[in-house]
Amino acid sequence: MNRIIYTIITLLLCGSAQGASRVNLDSLYRVLDAAIDSADIYLQQKTQRLETLKQEYAMAKTDIDRYHTAQKIYTEYIPFENDSAIAYQYRCIDLAEAMGRGDLKAATTLHLAYQLSNSGFYNEARIHLGEVPSEYLKGDLGISYLEGTNNLYGEMGYYSNDPRLRNAFREQVQQIRASLLTQLDTTSVAWLHLRTTSLDYSDQHQEALRYSDRWMQACTPGTRPYAIMAYYRSEIYKKMGDIEMQRYWLTQSALTDIRNAIMDQGALWSLANSLIVEDQDVERAHRYIDFSWKCISRFSTHMRSWLVSPVVTHINDAYKQQLRTANNQLRWTIGIISLLLVGLLLSLLYVIKKRRQLAMARNELNSLNDQLAVKNEQLLENNTLLQDANQRLSDTNEQLRSAIIHLNDSTRVKDEYIGKFLTICSDYIDKLDNYRIKVNRKLKANQYNDLLRMTSSEQLKEDELQELLENFDAVFLRLFPSFIDDFNDLLRKDEKIIPADRNALNTDLRIFALIRLGIDESSKIAEFLHYSPNSIYAYRARIKNKAAGNRDDFERQVKEIGMQQ
């Protein structure tokens, strides 16, 4: 029932988009945001499906049953985890060889070559394509061979930096596509895909859009093929200059990918790129690129990371510009506050002066009784001046509070990591200022013993050091969430280091966390952690003796932790 409702809604939205040529993107963005918030649920459903298939694989009694189950697992892994997909295809090849089924081995090898070319392993894909015996390259396997070759040369042509090679690859792709178009069923999704992209590549956008309509009708909404169709449809609108419709179909593709727990997705980061380039919508673009980057990291291919990197850089540049603007506003605010403080100081000096005049007037009352009326009048005038001064002082204080509130509001727009750094700096400034005020008060009250006790205690230093280490642990583990597990993988099984709190580091882990960040001098590590250099050297030597491999290569391996994320 839910699938039927989803299909009807999607078709209505598509019809509305085509008829009115306008869509409510804000509503779609809200739906997309809700899907991102529920991404863990979709991921859990995907994981459960994989676990069920893996249990079925483990319980299979024959090689042919294991082969077919492994193929199902591979299909689930294709857009989810690239390494696992490749691993299960190798299993299928081994099973096909064990059964003596050359046809199954040929089919699996072609699937493997397709996945490898998608992952950027072009040489491996070319080798596997060449391993398939020619007697099997007939019928459906012949079409699969052409599709794999088309994908390989298409990828090589797209990413090649040599213009001559790029043109040569594209010519081969055109020839292979022409052959495929004559062999595929003209009503199949594969034929419509090829026909649509070929027309779009030739800048025949209206004709490509017409075939895209047929392609859309052949796909079931909410499925992976539908997401692929929506992405290529957005590319057509992009070339036509229709940004609104481009974003509509990118959103549809991204929404389908998220609900199917697809990690190999291009729609969401393409949408983020459009938002940052066209609208400078930094907040939404950052949310989308952050989620997309996590998906790409899980899918684990360097090609996808390479594609997303320019978008991440663009968003970071936008954040830097926002930071510069905020800093300028901060400087103006500090200048205004400084002027208000000067005015407050002048007001205080004026009040002090008037109070002294009032005291002098009171002292003269005893000796100048005959001038009582005159002095009383002067006293009233002085009181009036004092009230005016107090009123001005109150107004100045109110302005100061307003300025401080404005300053606090402006700082809340900082990026999470930059905000963390600025918050720590602000906290230290407040603590130092409070400490200064407390010391100043003790000095004014001649409470030297209290001041001595307060400055003799090292509790403040210990508390600040503990807070510094906790902040370091939190930020480091956010940047390298799998650091503890990856670090333990480098140690022998019986020497693993497990901290009491998985959200914090102990001293051993903290030393090598600093080494991971490039701080590898024992003296600098000792200075940060407040240990002696000899102690740090002893810690490092002790941990390296626990290494599972070559201890001399241990620290280099630590520095490479998280490189693929």
Side-chain angles (χ1 to χ4, degrees), residues 10 13 20 56 60 107 132 176 261 308 339 396 449 519 552 557 560:
T10 303
L13 287 173
E56 182 181 338
V132 181
I176 296 171
V308 176
L339 292 176
T396 302
N449 291 332
I519 305 174
D552 295 331
Q557 294 175 329
E560 294 178 354

Side-chain angles (χ1 to χ4, degrees), residues 71 118 127 138 175 502:
Q71 280 293 324
N118 268 347
I127 291 171
K138 300 175 183 178
Q175 294 174 3
R502 294 289 292 183

Side-chain angles (χ1 to χ4, degrees), residues 6-43:
Y6 178 81
T7 302
I8 294 172
I9 293 174
T10 303
L11 291 174
L12 289 174
L13 287 173
C14 294
S16 175
Q18 292 171 342
S21 299
R22 290 294 178 267
V23 291
N24 189 346
L25 289 176
D26 290 336
S27 297
L28 281 175
Y29 292 155
R30 286 193 291 271
V31 174
L32 183 59
D33 292 339
I36 291 174
D37 293 335
S38 303
D40 289 341
I41 298 175
Y42 304 129
L43 180 61

Side-chain angles (χ1 to χ4, degrees), residues 260-278:
N260 286 280
I262 301 300
M263 301 295 123
D264 183 19
Q265 52 178 256
L268 193 58
W269 64 262
S270 296
L271 179 60
N273 185 55
S274 176
L275 289 170
I276 194 65
V277 172
E278 301 293 338

